[in-house]
Amino acid sequence: AALRIHDITQELIDERRAHPAEDLLSALVQAEVDGEMLSDFEIGSTMVLFSVAANDTTRHTSSLAAKALDDFRDQRDWLWDDFDGRIGLAIEEFLRWGSVVQNFRRTCVTPYQLGGQQILPGDKVVMMYASGNRDEAVFDNPNSFDLQRFPNPHMAFGGGGVHFCLGSQLAKVMLRELFREIRTQAPNFTTGEPELVRIARGSRRRMACDMRVCLLELVDESQGNLRRGFGQVAIDCLLDIPVGEFPGDNDLHDLRVEVRPPILSRSVAK
């Protein structure tokens, strides 16, 4: 799918170079970074990102939010009593509670000290978003699902700056309309129990990780046919794997990722 999007984008790039229009792709074709034009591959990768962004994260956020609303029915009753007036606050708590982007790893390029810890160039730093979203120094009762939480400075969309999630507002609209329909069609829904993820690497040693509602399977294929969009899904979602076990960029081509849909809620209308 990602390769097909690249192919379609290449056709559109050629067309926009010959006939620019007032659209996003034309802006990307004409954009410069540090005096250099974006490559066709970079533009294609951006369009792949636009195509898959919020597909996985919003789906899993909605699954985890539905599970929480079933587990904490007083919160669901509170939301249902004044949906339009309360859904804005509720969505922020859905995002904090789910924390579906688990981590990102970065490599330090300059000496830096954080929380008394010296970080040197070349050190690998893993940002654990779920930990940040349950920081007791920031949130009162961080392990409580509280739809009235305000302020709610969660990091579900990143910490701000140029890398803040471009689709944050779209994700909120999707969540708002999804739960509006659930309230209308299945206000008394119940949810199933989460399952486990199994991961096979190299020696076929398997590890089970509690992914709550998100399901995927990594299988060692060594066929060079991984579509990177799905590979990123796997990296973002992995839990409780030692850092040394994380597949790096050089390993991605050796993995095939099978992504299964999250557990569906068993809805029961009134």
Side-chain angles (χ1 to χ4, degrees):
L3 294 177
R4 178 58 179 152
I5 293 173
H6 271 278
D7 292 340
I8 294 172
T9 301
Q10 187 61 59
E11 296 175 7
L12 293 173
I13 288 172
D14 296 339
E15 180 181 329
R16 291 301 189 272
R17 283 204 176 104
H19 306 287
E22 295 184 0
D23 57 26
L24 177 62
L25 189 56
S26 295
L28 290 172
V29 168
Q30 298 170 17
E32 293 186 10
V33 178
D34 296 332
E36 296 185 5
M37 306 289 286
L38 297 176
S39 69
D40 290 359
F41 180 80
E42 289 172 329
I43 296 173
S45 297
T46 299
M47 299 310 292
V48 171
L49 177 62
F50 286 156
S51 299
V52 302
N55 188 343
D56 178 71
T57 51
T58 306
R59 182 171 75 249
H60 297 320
T61 298
S62 62
S63 297
L64 292 168
K67 185 70 170 66
L69 289 174
D70 187 31
D71 289 343
F72 306 101
R73 296 190 180 184
D74 60 320
Q75 296 295 303
R76 183 170 71 182
D77 292 341
W78 178 84
L79 176 58
W80 279 188
D81 285 346
D82 182 10
F83 183 85
D84 288 329
R86 297 171 175 175
I87 186 59
L89 281 177
I91 286 173
E92 301 302 327
E93 185 69 348
F94 293 167
L95 293 162
R96 185 195 74 87
W97 182 259
S99 297
V100 296
V101 175
Q102 291 291 318
N103 56 69
F104 272 97
R105 195 202 76 180
R106 293 293 182 265
T107 302
C108 181
V109 296
T110 187
Y112 189 77
Q113 185 164 323
L114 178 66
Q117 176 67 47
Q118 183 66 43
I119 305 173
L120 300 175
D123 287 349
K124 306 296 190 298
V125 180
V126 179
M127 299 174 287
M128 307 300 293
Y129 289 89
S131 177
N133 283 338
R134 285 167 172 73
D135 187 343
E136 294 179 349
V138 177
F139 301 98
D140 293 332
N141 300 315
N143 294 319
S144 296
F145 181 66
D146 181 6
L147 298 186
Q148 300 182 61
R149 188 182 299 279
F150 183 83
N152 194 340
H154 62 77
M155 303 181 67
F157 295 125
V162 297
H163 294 293
F164 188 78
C165 177
L166 184 64
S168 60
Q169 295 305 312
L170 173 60
K172 292 180 181 181
V173 169
M174 293 167 67
L175 290 168
R176 179 182 298 112
E177 296 311 311
L178 171 63
F179 282 96
R180 186 190 305 279
E181 287 301 310
I182 290 176
R183 175 178 178 267
T184 300
Q185 299 187 36
N188 296 323
F189 70 88
T190 60
T191 59
E193 289 300 316
E195 295 183 13
L196 297 177
V197 177
R198 295 196 176 277
I199 302 169
R201 285 296 309 276
S203 64
R204 312 301 292 180
R205 179 174 61 86
R206 304 185 70 83
M207 299 180 65
C209 306
D210 186 355
M211 291 294 297
R212 303 182 208 154
V213 181
C214 171
L215 300 180
L216 59 87
E217 186 175 26
L218 277 176
V219 182
D220 193 349
E221 190 81 343
S222 301
Q223 295 296 318
N225 60 354
L226 174 70
R227 291 177 287 190
R228 290 186 61 89
F230 290 120
Q232 189 63 47
V233 169
I235 293 171
D236 288 349
C237 292
L238 287 176
L239 285 173
D240 300 329
I241 305 293
V243 172
E245 294 291 324
F246 274 20
D249 285 345
N250 293 331
D251 301 322
L252 284 176
H253 68 281
D254 291 330
L255 298 173
R256 174 169 55 84
V257 179
E258 298 175 355
V259 180
R260 292 175 285 169
I263 298 171
L264 298 178
S265 299
R266 293 180 278 108
S267 301
V268 181
K270 285 184 177 179

